[in-house]
Amino acid sequence: MNVVVIGAQWGDEGKGKIVDYLANEAQIIVRFSGGANAGHTIVIGAEQYALHLIPSGILYLDKMVILGAGMVIDPVALFKEIKMLRDRGIDTTGRVFISDRAHIVLPRYIEIDKARDLARKKPIGTTGRGIGITYSMKSDRDGIRIADLDWKEKMDELDAADRDFLAPYVEQLKSMSIDLSSFLFHHKNSQTLFEGAQGTLLDLDLGTYPYVSSGMSCAAGAAIGGCVGPRNLDKVLGVFKAYSTRVGNGPFPSEFNLDAEDELCRFVRETGREYGVTTGRPRRCGYLDLVALRYACLTNSIDSLVMTHLDVYDTLDEIKACVAYRIGDKMVETFPASVEALNKAQPVLRAFPGWKKSLTNALTYEEFPIPAMEYIEFIERFCETPIDIVSVGYDRKETIIRKSPWTK
Ligand code: IMP
């Protein structure tokens, strides 16, 4: 069975924790897009791990993890991460594989990425990890793939600096390289989890272009970047936070207004630890945007939603969520493509009573206070999608499963 986990907002929804949790019942975890721009945090008891490239399932010692064809791999970041895991007692030997179709990030791409964003009149606020340049080299047909490391003519054509950079990594990368489609076909009776990075609204096609990343962070990306046909994806889970965040620039209609809601913004940022795992930047914070969430459900065929960080709202008297936009004199209930329209959009907010009780110790959904259930059930009706998992803390055990995605 193949289950896809994607972000339903602007990334940082808590996918790392959810993938780690669901990986317990999987044998294989495939990350299908992005690169070292992502940052997935996993907390196990007193231990915290920040992963950028390696799929979150690596922390289970019996799982195989794969960096898929849709990814862009920075060898420096990859081997640093493998070393970090080994230093902390996580044996990665024979468990980390890379699709031979994945592209390689070169140091000069990182420099171009940073310089190009600085030179933009309106910078995107990239993570500066060379991601956009690697994907554009790919679409220009000038990229270097893992499979190319064996292609003498191609390697001979490279600039000396690129060849010298790659030289110490070539044998290690080749030893991890696999034909992903054959590998997954061979393991077709396994439970495989396809792990997305970033989120729908940062997807190159579906997101708030040009303020997006360059990979396919939508569910369709799992098929392409995971080397399987779309009909082989059995379920799609969309992860979202009880509020919204965004890192970098670009439209964010439900962002807290810092003149009026500065205190709420600080509260959410501090309580939710809303600082980038990759860059340390404070994340922009706002109300849950249900217009955007419904758009994510539609465009990804989300079968079930996973709500995270609900506990951040435990102490509030009242909670609000955006249910439409006011753009000029129009009420809009769908997610516009136009950045101009999104920038003008004023959130139409609906208020919900707070529950004023800690959710973290709840073991089942039935133990939630009624106002928390009402907030959840309103979202389900609005998005016409069930919320099957609710996360109420960072730890693996602070997760309420209403319905497991592994049941057919
Ligand atoms: P890039 O992916 O480094 O090119 O950055 C493009 C945009 O995507 C910037 O606004 C980044 O802040 C944002 N971005 C990239 N990766 C992540 C992520 O994992 N979480 C949140 N935002 C991200």
Side-chain angles (χ1 to χ4, degrees):
M1 187 175 180
N2 293 327
V3 171
V4 181
V5 176
I6 52 138
Q9 296 166 313
W10 280 281
D12 308 317
E13 299 93 348
K15 294 178 295 298
K17 172 189 160 163
I18 299 304
V19 169
D20 169 74
Y21 188 89
L22 297 176
N24 187 24
E25 289 189 53
Q27 288 83 47
I28 302 168
I29 298 93
V30 181
R31 169 125 169 238
F32 59 84
S33 78
N37 49 350
H40 292 166
T41 308
I42 299 130
V43 179
I44 306 166
E47 296 290 318
Q48 178 162 326
Y49 299 85
L51 297 172
H52 300 281
L53 278 170
I54 297 188
S56 309
I58 191 71
L59 301 177
Y60 293 93
L61 299 181
D62 58 338
K63 314 289 177 200
M64 291 184 280
V65 302
I66 303 170
L67 286 77
M71 286 191 70
V72 291
I73 319 285
D74 175 350
V76 178
L78 175 65
F79 291 109
K80 192 172 155 200
E81 205 159 300
I82 290 178
K83 182 175 181 314
M84 177 279 287
L85 288 165
R86 288 187 176 159
D87 288 349
R88 295 183 65 181
I90 310 287
D91 187 7
T92 58
T93 319
R95 298 200 293 127
V96 183
F97 302 96
I98 310 178
S99 162
D100 52 9
R101 293 173 186 277
H103 278 246
I104 298 175
V105 181
L106 295 175
R108 66 187 165 87
Y109 300 171
I110 297 175
E111 295 314 314
I112 303 171
D113 188 24
K114 290 180 189 161
R116 194 177 278 183
D117 206 31
L118 278 178
R120 284 187 171 105
K121 273 196 189 136
K122 291 189 179 163
I124 291 163
T126 72
T127 59
R129 297 295 188 270
I131 306 302
I133 304 302
T134 312
Y135 280 115
S136 61
M137 294 299 275
K138 172 179 173 174
S139 38
D140 277 348
R141 276 74 35 91
D142 286 323
I144 305 167
R145 301 172 309 158
I146 298 291
D148 300 338
L149 297 173
D150 254 341
W151 184 9
K152 188 170 179 314
E153 199 184 325
K154 170 101 179 180
M155 295 304 279
D156 287 346
E157 274 171 15
L158 295 181
D159 287 350
D162 293 345
R163 233 188 351 258
D164 290 350
F165 164 74
L166 286 171
Y169 302 112
V170 168
E171 290 312 316
Q172 292 176 84
L173 289 171
K174 277 175 19 185
S175 72
M176 295 157 86
S177 159
I178 54 165
D179 165 355
L180 181 52
S181 65
S182 305
F183 183 97
L184 291 179
F185 184 71
H186 181 73
H187 290 92
K188 63 179 185 298
N189 295 324
S190 300
Q191 312 237 84
T192 301
L193 200 55
F194 290 80
E195 170 179 350
Q198 288 79 47
T200 304
L201 303 174
L202 288 175
D203 178 89
L204 185 61
D205 292 277
L206 300 174
T208 52
Y209 189 91
Y211 299 96
V212 289
S213 190
S214 316
M216 289 193 191
S217 33
C218 56
I224 299 170
C227 295
V228 291
R231 280 191 279 121
N232 287 101
L233 303 176
D234 297 296
K235 265 187 204 168
V236 178
L237 267 62
V239 186
F240 74 104
K241 278 194 282 221
Y243 48 90
S244 306
T245 62
R246 170 161 208 168
V247 195
N249 300 326
F252 185 0
S254 66
E255 185 168 17
F256 293 134
N257 171 345
L258 295 188
D259 292 334
E261 291 146 343
D262 188 39
E263 204 181 314
L264 182 58
C265 184
R266 279 167 205 260
F267 171 81
V268 168
R269 185 176 289 143
E270 296 312 318
T271 316
R273 303 188 209 166
E274 297 298 349
Y275 292 88
V277 180
T278 301
T279 58
R281 290 181 286 182
R283 296 180 184 139
R284 297 158 66 192
C285 300
Y287 298 108
L288 174 62
D289 184 340
L290 289 172
V291 179
L293 186 63
R294 185 165 55 190
Y295 169 75
C297 288
L298 286 176
T299 48
N300 292 293
S301 307
I302 291 178
D303 294 291
S304 75
L305 286 163
V306 178
M307 186 181 203
T308 66
H309 288 66
L310 185 57
D311 53 300
V312 168
Y313 278 167
D314 279 354
T315 57
L316 298 188
D317 293 327
E318 188 183 67
I319 284 145
K320 288 180 187 161
C322 167
V323 291
Y325 306 136
R326 190 170 290 110
I327 304 178
D329 55 5
K330 284 204 187 100
M331 286 288 266
V332 176
E333 294 185 353
T334 51
F335 194 74
S338 154
V339 169
E340 203 181 11
L342 286 166
N343 279 339
K344 284 187 190 150
Q346 293 299 317
V348 177
L349 299 174
R350 180 185 162 122
F352 301 83
W355 41 91
K356 310 275 286 174
K357 194 174 168 207
S358 169
L359 297 180
T360 304
N361 298 322
L363 297 174
T364 63
Y365 180 68
E366 287 64 37
E367 288 172 41
F368 277 4
I370 287 173
M373 288 182 173
E374 284 173 350
Y375 185 50
I376 290 171
E377 288 163 24
F378 179 86
I379 299 166
E380 290 183 312
R381 284 194 301 279
F382 192 96
C383 295
E384 296 183 40
T385 311
I387 298 179
D388 285 341
I389 301 177
V390 184
S391 165
V392 290
Y394 290 94
D395 202 87
R396 272 182 188 163
K397 60 183 188 315
E398 290 161 345
T399 314
I400 309 287
I401 306 288
R402 298 174 73 194
K403 186 175 171 206
S404 166
W406 296 118
T407 49
K408 286 231 176 189

